[in-house]
Amino acid sequence: MNNNYCIIMAGGIGSRFWPLSRKIKPKQFLDITGTGKTLIQQTFQRFSKIIPTENFLVVTSINYKDLVKEQLPELTEEQILPEPLRRNTAPCAAYAAYKIKSKNPNANLIIAPSDHLILKEEEFIRQIEKGIEFVKSKNALLTLGIKPCRPETGYGYIQVKRREEFNKLDNLYKVKTFVEKPDIEMAKVFIESGEFFWNSGIFIWSMSSIISAFETHLADIASLFSRGLKLYNTEDEIHFINKTYSECRGISIDYGIMEKAKNVYVLTADFDWSDLGTWGALYEHEDKDTEGNVIKGDNVLMYNAQNCIVNISDEKVAVLQGLDGYIVAESNDTLMICKREDEQQIKQFVTDVRIKKGDSLV
């Protein structure tokens, strides 16, 4: 019996990628990178190299259940976990963990977002396999930390304490602290210190370690989801989950457990990673023309324009002149033009459009 499972979190709405990403079809269900595969399909294929298909679970919004079924037809109905309400990542992880526990209490869990870009996949899988070996033999909560290549303000950071000895690993550290997204000056200090790594949001746990952590640090959530151990994988599961989510508070796994537990470790690595959270993150990873532009669209004409990211549907013609450092993104009935340096305002744009023009455009 294979005890290794992968939980893919796919419930986000990707508002920072508006107007391409929308509530009705957020970025994890889009082919953002032009590979012919959506981000969730890439995630599934990546982990399929080491996880059998039957050991996957996808936790998503009830609104996206059909999208998951359509894009990952390999999965059964039982493997798609629809959340009735948005409650952040801790309830998401608890739901999947307790459901797996009801079938296999000896499981090892990989939990990963559905919308990350990873270019060096062989190195990534190598680190995941090393991580599984570690958590199998030690009461530990493990995360992956990415060696930073620039002072990035869009990511959280992990500060490491000391290197740990385990099976000759040279990249395993005890975690000192988790740090929220810094400003640019603080990010530069982090880089110079050599003690800080980007927080990938990818975790590896044994079942016993994560259940113990929930019981210790999020006892209320543990209590709610543990009540369903005899109901998971039965026809009563949906009713139980609907009731549980209505009673459950929203909190992230980072804040609820990882920042509080004493047995947290990090494997540091470099596998060319991005969380693709923003247009700027996509710009950093895409090939650029001689003027520093990233262009998606067959009919985009650029004149005296540089350092822009442009995403225009193929059937539309766009002529852009004199722009430097802009995001130009179009989707159906919406066009957004925004300075790359001001992309943190996109969430506000989305809020304003919703208030003034209605939900259909967001």
Side-chain angles (χ1 to χ4, degrees), residues 210-225:
I210 191 57
I211 295 299
S212 174
F214 266 108
E215 291 172 348
T216 302
H217 302 289
L218 291 175
D220 55 328
I221 292 176
S223 174
L224 284 170
F225 285 93

Side-chain angles (χ1 to χ4, degrees), residues 51-331:
I51 302 295
T53 299
E54 63 271 19
N55 284 10
F56 278 84
L57 291 181
V58 176
V59 189
T60 190
S61 163
I62 193 168
N63 299 320
Y64 306 143
K65 182 180 178 182
D66 289 342
L67 276 171
V68 174
K69 287 167 67 175
E70 175 189 319
Q71 296 198 2
L72 298 178
E74 302 91 338
L75 302 185
T76 65
E77 189 101 8
E78 188 182 275
Q79 291 174 273
I80 303 170
L81 281 54
E83 295 182 291
L85 299 165
R86 289 171 58 80
R87 287 291 185 262
N88 215 318
T89 54
C92 161
Y95 180 9
Y98 279 99
K99 182 179 169 83
I100 293 169
K101 185 186 180 191
S102 70
K103 295 174 71 172
N104 185 353
N106 299 313
N108 307 301
L109 311 179
I110 305 162
I111 185 159
S114 57
D115 53 2
H116 286 187
L117 176 68
I118 292 168
L119 297 181
K120 298 177 183 175
E121 292 203 349
E122 286 186 10
E123 173 63 13
F124 173 73
I125 292 300
R126 195 170 73 88
Q127 297 299 335
I128 292 289
E129 290 180 317
K130 286 161 63 173
I132 291 171
E133 286 305 307
F134 175 64
V135 301
K136 277 165 60 175
S137 56
K138 192 172 177 71
N139 176 26
L141 303 174
L142 185 66
T143 186
L144 296 187
I146 315 300
K147 186 177 180 180
C149 58
R150 61 183 182 276
E152 173 63 55
T153 60
Y155 300 151
Y157 286 72
I158 300 168
Q159 185 181 18
V160 298
K161 190 186 304 186
R162 63 176 184 272
R163 207 168 82 193
E164 296 288 320
E165 295 296 326
F166 179 81
N167 284 1
K168 299 179 181 177
L169 287 182
D170 60 359
N171 62 330
L172 177 69
Y173 293 84
K174 193 83 190 289
V175 170
K176 184 174 184 179
T177 187
F178 289 82
V179 184
E180 294 300 313
K181 299 171 184 177
D183 60 29
I184 187 65
E185 294 307 317
M186 189 57 70
K188 289 176 180 175
V189 172
F190 289 174
I191 299 295
E192 289 166 7
S193 76
E195 295 180 359
F196 289 81
F197 296 81
W198 289 338
N199 183 357
S200 71
I202 300 168
F203 308 107
I204 308 173
W205 308 312
S206 69
M207 181 65 76
S208 58
S209 295
I210 191 57
I211 295 299
S212 174
F214 266 108
E215 291 172 348
T216 302
H217 302 289
L218 291 175
D220 55 328
I221 292 176
S223 174
L224 284 170
F225 285 93
S226 64
R227 293 173 192 165
L229 284 172
K230 293 183 178 178
L231 303 176
Y232 295 120
N233 308 301
T234 74
E235 60 185 18
D236 295 321
E237 179 177 331
I238 292 177
H239 175 71
F240 168 75
I241 285 298
N242 288 342
K243 183 174 185 296
T244 299
Y245 267 74
S246 70
E247 299 171 359
C248 187
R249 63 183 166 126
I251 186 171
S252 74
I253 199 75
D254 296 72
Y255 182 72
I257 289 180
M258 301 301 284
E259 294 181 16
K260 295 179 171 61
K262 304 299 183 189
N263 58 333
V264 181
Y265 298 79
V266 59
L267 269 181
T268 62
D270 178 12
F271 36 75
D272 214 345
W273 166 92
S274 170
D275 77 346
L276 281 189
T278 64
W279 286 107
L282 181 61
Y283 177 84
E284 292 289 342
H285 277 270
E286 291 292 295
D287 292 333
K288 300 165 185 65
D289 65 17
T290 55
E291 300 300 318
N293 296 311
V294 173
I295 301 172
K296 301 287 184 184
D298 289 344
N299 297 298
V300 178
L301 303 178
M302 307 283 280
Y303 298 91
N304 188 30
Q306 50 271 329
N307 307 315
C308 295
I309 180 166
V310 181
N311 193 301
I312 303 288
S313 54
D314 290 342
E315 64 272 13
K316 294 179 181 174
V317 176
V319 180
L320 305 176
Q321 187 271 338
L323 297 182
D324 187 353
Y326 274 80
I327 302 163
V328 181
E330 168 271 337
S331 179

